[in-house]
Amino acid sequence: MNATEPRRLWWPRSVRARTALAAASTAAVILVSIGWWLHHDVYRQGTQIAEGQAEQQLWALVIS
């Protein structure tokens, strides 16, 4: 960094701090990805269960 560049206060200067920031960012991306996948998997399973129950009720009405 030279004297003409504005200083970025939010960017860590040490290697240890930059490594910690990179590790935390990576962990956040992984956790968000797992949460997104889990949410959609649970939603899909819930939808399948609801469709199965609705189909059973429909067949019960048709048969009787």
Side-chain angles (χ1 to χ4, degrees), residues 25-45:
S25 299
T26 303
V29 167
I30 290 170
L31 288 174
V32 167
S33 300
I34 289 171
W36 177 84
W37 174 79
L38 185 62
H39 168 75
H40 284 284
D41 192 48
V42 168
Y43 179 79
R44 181 187 53 81
Q45 287 179 357

Side-chain angles (χ1 to χ4, degrees), residues 1 3-5 7-8 13-14 18 27-32 36 39-40 43-44 46-48 50 53 57-58 60 63:
M1 176 166 82
T4 60
E5 286 184 39
R7 184 169 174 201
R8 294 179 292 189
R13 297 179 78 179
S14 70
R18 283 183 281 180
V29 167
I30 290 170
L31 288 174
V32 167
W36 177 84
H39 168 75
H40 284 284
Y43 179 79
R44 181 187 53 81
T47 303
Q48 287 177 345
Q53 290 174 349
Q57 290 175 1
L58 179 65
I63 290 175

